[in-house]
Amino acid sequence: MDLQLTGKTIIITGGSDGLGAATAKTLAAEGANVVIAARGLEKLTSVAASIGGQALAVQTDVTNPVHLENLVTQTMTRFGRIDAIVNNAGRAAAKPFESITDLEWQEDLDMKFYAAIRLSRLAVPHMRAVGGGSIVHILATGGKTPGANSMPSTVSRAAGMALMKAMSKDLGKDNIRVNGVLIGLVESDQWVRRAAQNNQSLENLYAKLPLENNIPLARVGQAAEFADFIAFLVSTRAAYISGCAINFDGGMSPAF
Ligand SMILES: NC(=O)c1ccc[n+]([C@@H]2O[C@H](COP(=O)([O-])OP(=O)(O)OC[C@H]3O[C@@H](n4cnc5c(N)ncnc54)[C@H](OP(=O)(O)O)[C@@H]3O)[C@@H](O)[C@H]2O)c1
């Protein structure tokens, strides 16, 4: 199936590592121009260099509104259009309720919620100008099933789901589709760091996670599988899919 992504321009936040970097590589291989955004310049430029001329790296802290304006300006200057954005930048944040400070709540919401609002708001006029587009908020299954010691992340993700649904209603008339992808457990650099912190081999960690979390498919997901799914979702092959909070979790979540 030809995803018809040639010549399209897609912004991926958190594109320097893990799932964002895998997504950028897959989208570029499908012919899209990709703009990757993250704070650390070294990894960002190295991922862009591995992709080549179709990639633009823009050093960005998504919690800074001025950085997001710069991201959109640089995208338009280089590629002249925006067809899709993948709001992917994030990190794990899960603690007991009473131990979370106001600052930690604010930081989590700034990164996972306000960043998606701000970047989407900046990109929408450019998508409208090219006749439509696709916005994907990367979320987590905990947004549907928040458990003990899962905040602030699960609450930010639930807010992201409501944002996605409401945006899909507002923007459908402009042929702009908005969806959420709720991740369970997928191989990425955050698990590489976790294994190193715990003095554990990565293979061990990936073998334990499906057992501890009762994943029906009995394995964690692969970054390339995630990237393939996102490539489909941003493409016009998914032209009638909007307003969905789709689990990407090997069947792990009890909620659909
Ligand atoms: N992998 C999983 O199993 C899993 C499960 C549930 C949810 N998720 C979500 O899926 C997304 C991708 O996860 P991942 O596993 O690929 O994570 P990762 O390997 O840790 O990569 C995170 C990316 O986000 C960037 N980032 C972090 N803070 C940022 C900021 N303030 N501004 C801009 N970029 C920022 C990082 O680069 P810099 O640090 O250099 O900025 C990096 O490129 C995240 O939202 C994560 O919460 C993943």
Side-chain angles (χ1 to χ4, degrees):
M1 184 192 293
D2 177 4
L3 295 178
Q4 300 170 348
L5 288 171
T6 302
K8 301 282 172 71
T9 300
I10 301 163
I11 298 175
I12 304 122
T13 67
S16 68
D17 234 334
L19 305 183
T23 300
K25 287 174 187 172
T26 295
L27 289 169
E30 290 293 328
N33 302 313
V34 292
V35 182
I36 53 174
R39 295 165 305 174
L41 192 56
E42 201 177 321
K43 276 196 172 175
L44 196 63
T45 46
S46 141
V47 172
S50 75
I51 293 172
Q54 274 166 261
L56 172 67
V58 183
Q59 190 174 25
T60 306
D61 181 342
V62 296
T63 66
N64 184 329
V66 176
H67 285 199
L68 293 174
E69 280 174 26
N70 176 58
L71 174 61
V72 168
T73 302
Q74 288 213 38
T75 302
M76 290 305 292
T77 303
R78 171 74 175 271
F79 294 119
R81 59 186 293 148
I82 299 174
D83 297 279
I85 55 176
V86 184
N87 286 306
N88 166 74
R91 63 158 182 258
K95 292 170 67 175
F97 172 65
E98 287 177 278
S99 71
I100 308 166
T101 64
D102 277 3
L103 181 63
E104 287 170 323
W105 275 109
Q106 192 60 58
E107 283 176 349
D108 204 65
L109 284 162
D110 279 345
M111 173 191 279
K112 295 172 182 164
F113 185 59
Y114 286 105
I117 292 173
R118 290 176 177 135
L119 181 57
S120 302
R121 195 170 51 205
L122 288 164
V124 158
H126 299 294
M127 291 182 180
R128 201 178 277 130
V130 293
S134 171
I135 297 172
V136 181
H137 299 317
I138 303 306
L139 305 168
T141 52
K144 286 182 182 173
T145 52
N149 304 330
S150 71
M151 291 174 274
S153 199
T154 50
V155 175
S156 301
R157 297 318 195 175
M161 266 198 299
L163 173 70
M164 173 279 293
K165 190 55 138 179
M167 282 176 65
S168 75
K169 306 275 186 195
D170 272 22
L171 300 175
K173 65 180 183 318
D174 296 316
N175 192 32
I176 296 172
R177 300 178 295 106
V178 190
N179 291 288
V181 175
L182 280 70
I183 303 177
L185 296 164
V186 181
E187 288 178 5
S188 80
D189 294 271
Q190 68 164 283
W191 296 113
V192 176
R193 292 193 298 273
R194 182 84 55 97
Q197 272 161 19
N198 298 344
N199 269 331
Q200 192 180 11
S201 80
L202 188 59
E203 293 67 34
N204 245 338
L205 179 62
Y206 285 152
K208 267 174 57 182
L209 285 170
L211 300 170
E212 289 171 357
N213 293 281
N214 294 320
I215 300 178
L217 290 181
R219 64 179 178 86
V220 296
Q222 294 172 359
E225 294 170 328
F226 173 84
D228 285 349
F229 180 57
I230 300 300
F232 169 72
L233 199 53
V234 297
S235 81
T236 50
R237 295 297 192 176
Y240 203 55
I241 301 176
S242 193
C244 295
I246 306 158
N247 295 348
F248 186 87
D249 69 347
M252 181 179 85
S253 176
F256 48 85

